[in-house]
Amino acid sequence: MRLIVNTARRAPYAFLILMALSLAAVVISREWQTNVLSALGGFEFQVVTGALLVTGYGYQWLLFFKRVTRDSSRAREVLKSHRWVGVGMTYVFALHAVRFGHVWMTTLSVVFFLVAFTAVLNRDVLRYRQNWIYLIWLALHIGFSAMLVPLIGLHIWVALAFQ
């Protein structure tokens, strides 16, 4: 129990993102949002939440580019905001995602879940004793994030082309 309390103090975002992932999984698998969309405006609501997701996703790459350019100014603030924006994006994803559907939509959802899940397994939550474990985690998290880029592009193109 002490481990859970210490983890919650060190990384409060971890539990919030796990709750968001659970909410998104239930909403998508039960297709609850189909009824909610009609009340919220349908396509317009999808465009607004989608724009929020794309904006947040673009912001998330700021941390990557700061690391690549070795710009360590405000690194702690960027990492902190990276985590909290990720939590918020997971909740917005739960509002945005309608259902598992076509193979590429299911792939997009699964990859998004993998990005969020690997985010929870970071150094603050799991104390890595060896650096190579951290490097594998980092490669997975960034790799899954990079996989989202073409999937999001395809999703936007298909969604706007057929509406």
Side-chain angles (χ1 to χ4, degrees), residues 31-86:
E31 297 184 16
W32 283 348
Q33 199 192 31
T34 307
N35 299 330
V36 173
L37 275 180
S38 59
L40 294 175
F43 183 69
E44 294 83 11
F45 179 74
Q46 291 297 99
V47 170
V48 169
T49 56
L52 284 172
L53 284 169
V54 168
T55 303
Y57 188 67
Y59 177 79
Q60 293 297 73
W61 281 98
L62 177 66
L63 180 63
F64 174 76
F65 290 118
K66 283 212 171 263
R67 285 184 181 211
V68 168
T69 60
R70 300 195 190 283
D71 180 11
S72 60
S73 64
R74 301 179 329 127
R76 281 210 177 270
E77 294 96 29
V78 171
L79 179 60
K80 190 174 184 179
S81 65
H82 177 85
R83 290 174 178 159
W84 286 106
V85 168

Side-chain angles (χ1 to χ4, degrees), residues 125-145:
V125 176
L126 301 177
R127 300 289 188 180
Y128 300 128
R129 295 185 183 201
Q130 287 130 352
N131 195 43
W132 66 270
I133 297 173
Y134 166 73
L135 293 175
I136 290 173
W137 167 81
L138 186 63
L140 285 172
H141 185 60
I142 293 173
F144 289 138
S145 299

Side-chain angles (χ1 to χ4, degrees), residues 5 8 18 20-21 25-26 39 82 93 120 123 131 150 154-155 159:
V5 171
L18 288 174
L21 284 171
V26 168
H82 177 85
F93 181 78
V120 173
R123 262 198 286 213
N131 195 43
L154 177 65
H155 172 64

Side-chain angles (χ1 to χ4, degrees), residues 104 150-163:
W104 63 272
L151 291 171
I152 290 171
L154 177 65
H155 172 64
I156 291 170
W157 178 73
V158 170
L160 294 177
F162 291 106
Q163 286 298 327

Side-chain angles (χ1 to χ4, degrees), residues 93 96-111 151 154-155 158:
F93 181 78
H96 180 77
V98 177
R99 65 186 171 280
F100 289 118
H102 305 285
V103 173
W104 63 272
M105 282 297 296
T106 302
T107 304
L108 174 68
S109 297
V110 167
V111 172
L151 291 171
L154 177 65
H155 172 64
V158 170

